[in-house]
Amino acid sequence: MGLGKIVWTVSFVLVLCSMPMLIPDLIGIQRSVEVSSGAGDRYDGELSADLLRFQVAVRDLEPGSQPEVIEEVELRLDNVFTRLNAFPEPDSAGWHTWAAGREAGAAEIRRVLDRIDRDLPLLRSDPAAFRAMADRRAEEAVAIHWRMQLAMGEQQNTLVGRLQHQVSVFQMKLLGYGAGFIVLVGALAWLMRSHMRSEKELQATNRQLRDLSETLVIARDAAVRSDTAKSNFLANVSHELRTPLNAILGFSEALASGIFGRLPGRQAEYVGDIHLSGQRLLALINDILDLAKLDAGKLELREEVVALDRLAAEAIRGLREASSAAGVTVDLTSVAGGVMVLGDPLRLRQVLDNLLSNAVKFTPAGGRIEVAVETLADGRTVVIVTDTGIGIPAGDLARVFLPFEQSDSQRARPAQGTGLGLPLVRQLVESHGGTIRMSSEPAIGTEVTVELPPERALPAEGNPQPAVQGNSVAKGRPRSTA
């Protein structure tokens, strides 16, 4: 998650969580305003005026006062009671805003006025005595009311201070809320800008990818056409080369056989070299044709039951002359009863010939080549060719299976060929559904393992097959040299 998204998320959460926190503050401010709004000041002023009017009316009493003076006193006393009775009911909304804090004072004033009311009959019988009593008690009620007003004033001051504090806190929260909202809007704008920039970059990248894809499609089509043209060219050239090559091989063989007369020693040697070179060229042309057919998917396998151990023995016998000339021993180890598979005998023989000729080519005189053919417990059939040759560097193991690629080993260069043998072996093995792998260590040797899948394995023959040797008798499994 980018920095913009983090800032926006945090700001949004803070703003969202702070909104409910403002509601209790607003309610508290509203209640404080109602309590401290001075709604009871008018009531206090009217009660004070009524008490003073009653006190003035009492002081106007004289012995033998006129009836209207006496009625004035009674009227003023009724007004004071009416004012007290106008007090709101406890626990009502008006009680908290109008009468809160006045309960004790109002009750004390009522007790004083009740005593005056009990002595009201004295007003008509002895106005002077009533005046003395009522004036004293009215003065007491006025003093009580004055103390109540002072207490209410202090309470109002406290409430106003609390209200100011609540308003200040609310202002700070509101400022924080506004700042958070500004940050939220800024982060949102940043995100939108980043999104638009990313969208433009993505569109540019998409255009580049589309152009690159089109370029790759064009290059792929060109490569396919080039590969097809190469395969067709190799097939045509190889086919055209066979005709004159067959004539060269035929005529050189005829001359070497002495049909047209015995040739002198030097001429016979040259004719033999011509025939040998023609055979090598024919093998190279055949390899090129096979690779071209395999690349084009046109190589068809003529499958039949093949005794793989016998095929290996035949390949070793066919290589006897070359191995003897190189001073290399080739041994074969096979399982008793033979190893039977379903495959193309010509192509499997081609695989064995290439592997063995490579082993002879890169094994110094006095070296040893061992061939093992067996069926594993899981049904796979394996052919393992092990030699004590010069080996292959680890970095070249993958390259030797590519067409026209060879090891860079200095000791291997004098014996290098065209680099088609192992690539052809790999494709022939894969055409049988198998795999080939190689392990090697310079100056120690190389081991090549060909594996055919279990579905190609067939039951072994009933008669045990003895181990077939090339130049010596094989004893036991071949050892791995890599």
Side-chain angles (χ1 to χ4, degrees), residues 299-315:
L299 183 66
E300 296 182 0
L301 297 180
R302 298 180 180 180
E303 297 182 350
E304 58 183 74
V305 178
V306 180
L308 197 57
D309 53 335
R310 294 178 183 172
L311 197 66
E314 293 174 3

Side-chain angles (χ1 to χ4, degrees), residues 314-329:
E314 293 174 3
I316 291 174
R317 284 195 297 270
L319 201 65
R320 181 182 296 126
E321 183 178 349
S323 61
S324 297
V328 176
T329 301

Side-chain angles (χ1 to χ4, degrees), residues 236-259:
N236 292 333
V237 169
S238 300
H239 179 74
E240 293 298 327
L241 286 175
R242 276 184 171 180
T243 301
L245 187 57
N246 287 331
I248 292 172
L249 289 174
F251 291 145
S252 61
E253 186 176 358
L255 290 174
S257 64
I259 295 177

Side-chain angles (χ1 to χ4, degrees), residues 169-460:
V169 172
F170 181 76
Q171 286 177 343
M172 294 298 296
K173 290 183 178 180
L174 195 60
L175 287 174
Y177 181 80
F181 184 76
I182 292 174
V183 172
L184 179 63
V185 173
L188 183 60
W190 184 13
L191 283 177
M192 292 178 64
R193 184 170 176 271
S194 300
H195 176 72
M196 293 175 63
R197 184 170 59 251
S198 300
E199 186 176 2
K200 290 181 179 178
E201 293 176 354
L202 182 60
Q203 291 176 352
T205 303
N206 287 337
R207 286 194 296 269
Q208 293 177 357
L209 289 176
R210 186 168 57 251
D211 296 341
L212 181 60
S213 177
E214 293 175 355
T215 303
L216 290 176
V217 169
I218 294 173
R220 182 202 63 189
D221 294 341
V224 170
R225 289 193 298 270
S226 176
D227 186 68
T228 303
K230 178 205 70 174
S231 299
N232 293 333
F233 172 77
L234 290 176
N236 292 333
V237 169
S238 300
H239 179 74
E240 293 298 327
L241 286 175
R242 276 184 171 180
T243 301
L245 187 57
N246 287 331
I248 292 172
L249 289 174
F251 291 145
S252 61
E253 186 176 358
L255 290 174
S257 64
I259 295 177
F260 304 107
R262 186 174 182 83
L263 297 176
R266 183 63 63 87
Q267 293 180 4
E269 182 181 352
Y270 287 167
V271 169
D273 290 340
I274 292 172
H275 186 71
L276 181 60
S277 298
Q279 287 180 331
R280 290 178 179 176
L281 183 57
L282 180 61
L284 173 61
I285 292 173
N286 288 334
D287 287 346
I288 293 175
L289 278 175
D290 289 340
L291 277 176
K293 290 179 180 179
L294 286 167
D295 287 338
K298 296 180 179 180
L299 183 66
E300 296 182 0
L301 297 180
R302 298 180 180 180
E303 297 182 350
E304 58 183 74
V305 178
V306 180
L308 197 57
D309 53 335
R310 294 178 183 172
L311 197 66
E314 293 174 3
I316 291 174
R317 284 195 297 270
L319 201 65
R320 181 182 296 126
E321 183 178 349
S323 61
S324 297
V328 176
T329 301
V330 184
D331 296 332
L332 170 66
T333 300
S334 61
V335 178
V339 178
M340 312 299 293
V341 296
L342 179 65
D344 188 331
L346 177 62
R347 300 307 176 183
L348 292 176
R349 173 64 184 270
Q350 195 173 355
V351 169
L352 292 168
D353 287 342
N354 276 284
L355 292 178
L356 289 173
S357 62
N358 263 2
V360 170
K361 185 188 304 182
F362 296 108
T363 301
R368 180 183 179 87
I369 300 173
E370 296 179 347
V371 182
V373 183
E374 63 177 327
T375 302
L376 302 180
D378 59 3
R380 290 177 299 159
T381 303
V382 295
V383 177
I384 304 174
V385 179
T386 307
D387 64 58
T388 58
I390 61 176
I392 301 174
D396 292 342
L397 288 177
R399 295 176 56 239
V400 296
F401 287 104
L402 299 177
F404 306 105
E405 294 283 348
Q406 295 146 340
S407 172
D408 287 337
S409 172
Q410 295 294 332
R411 296 180 60 192
R413 286 178 181 172
Q416 283 183 349
T418 59
L420 294 177
L422 288 177
L424 183 59
V425 166
R426 179 179 63 84
Q427 294 205 41
L428 289 174
V429 171
E430 290 177 353
S431 67
H432 282 79
T435 59
I436 182 170
R437 63 179 182 272
M438 175 185 292
S439 59
S440 184
E441 189 171 346
I444 293 180
T446 302
E447 179 179 279
V448 181
T449 303
V450 175
E451 289 186 3
L452 296 179
E455 54 267 21
R456 289 199 171 272
L458 298 175

Side-chain angles (χ1 to χ4, degrees), residues 146-159:
W146 180 250
R147 289 196 302 272
M148 183 178 70
Q149 284 183 310
L150 289 177
M152 291 305 301
E154 293 178 357
Q155 183 180 359
Q156 289 286 346
N157 291 334
T158 303
L159 290 174

Side-chain angles (χ1 to χ4, degrees), residues 9-266:
T9 303
V10 172
S11 302
F12 179 77
V13 171
L14 291 177
V15 171
L16 186 65
C17 294
S18 64
M19 290 178 63
M21 297 172 60
L22 298 178
I23 297 176
D25 292 334
L26 288 174
I27 295 175
I29 291 174
Q30 181 184 4
R31 292 175 65 87
S32 298
V33 168
E34 291 176 349
V35 173
S36 61
S37 61
D41 292 343
R42 182 177 61 84
Y43 169 81
D44 291 334
E46 291 176 349
L47 179 59
S48 179
D50 288 337
L51 287 174
L52 290 175
R53 289 190 187 100
F54 173 70
Q55 189 177 21
V56 169
V58 168
R59 290 179 178 179
D60 287 342
L61 288 173
E62 298 289 344
S65 294
Q66 297 297 321
E68 56 271 14
V69 176
I70 294 173
E71 291 176 357
E72 179 69 18
V73 172
E74 292 176 343
L75 177 62
R76 296 304 176 189
L77 183 60
D78 289 340
N79 288 341
V80 174
F81 275 114
T82 301
R83 190 68 60 189
L84 288 174
N85 292 333
F87 232 59
E89 292 293 330
D91 298 328
S92 65
W95 179 271
H96 297 288
T97 60
W98 201 46
R102 296 175 172 84
E103 299 89 344
E108 193 173 353
I109 291 173
R110 185 181 291 278
R111 284 195 298 272
V112 173
L113 294 178
D114 284 340
R115 287 198 297 269
I116 293 175
D117 186 61
R118 285 195 299 269
D119 295 334
L120 193 59
L122 190 62
L123 176 62
R124 294 186 179 277
S125 61
D126 190 357
F130 179 82
R131 173 185 173 180
M133 179 273 300
D135 185 54
R136 186 178 66 255
R137 292 176 178 170
E139 187 71 26
E140 182 182 358
V142 170
I144 294 171
H145 186 261
W146 180 250
R147 289 196 302 272
M148 183 178 70
Q149 284 183 310
L150 289 177
M152 291 305 301
E154 293 178 357
Q155 183 180 359
Q156 289 286 346
N157 291 334
T158 303
L159 290 174
V160 169
R162 185 185 304 169
L163 177 61
Q164 290 177 346
H165 176 71
Q166 290 176 334
V167 170
S168 299
V169 172
F170 181 76
Q171 286 177 343
M172 294 298 296
K173 290 183 178 180
L174 195 60
L175 287 174
Y177 181 80
F181 184 76
I182 292 174
V183 172
L184 179 63
V185 173
L188 183 60
W190 184 13
L191 283 177
M192 292 178 64
R193 184 170 176 271
S194 300
H195 176 72
M196 293 175 63
R197 184 170 59 251
S198 300
E199 186 176 2
K200 290 181 179 178
E201 293 176 354
L202 182 60
Q203 291 176 352
T205 303
N206 287 337
R207 286 194 296 269
Q208 293 177 357
L209 289 176
R210 186 168 57 251
D211 296 341
L212 181 60
S213 177
E214 293 175 355
T215 303
L216 290 176
V217 169
I218 294 173
R220 182 202 63 189
D221 294 341
V224 170
R225 289 193 298 270
S226 176
D227 186 68
T228 303
K230 178 205 70 174
S231 299
N232 293 333
F233 172 77
L234 290 176
N236 292 333
V237 169
S238 300
H239 179 74
E240 293 298 327
L241 286 175
R242 276 184 171 180
T243 301
L245 187 57
N246 287 331
I248 292 172
L249 289 174
F251 291 145
S252 61
E253 186 176 358
L255 290 174
S257 64
I259 295 177
F260 304 107
R262 186 174 182 83
L263 297 176
R266 183 63 63 87

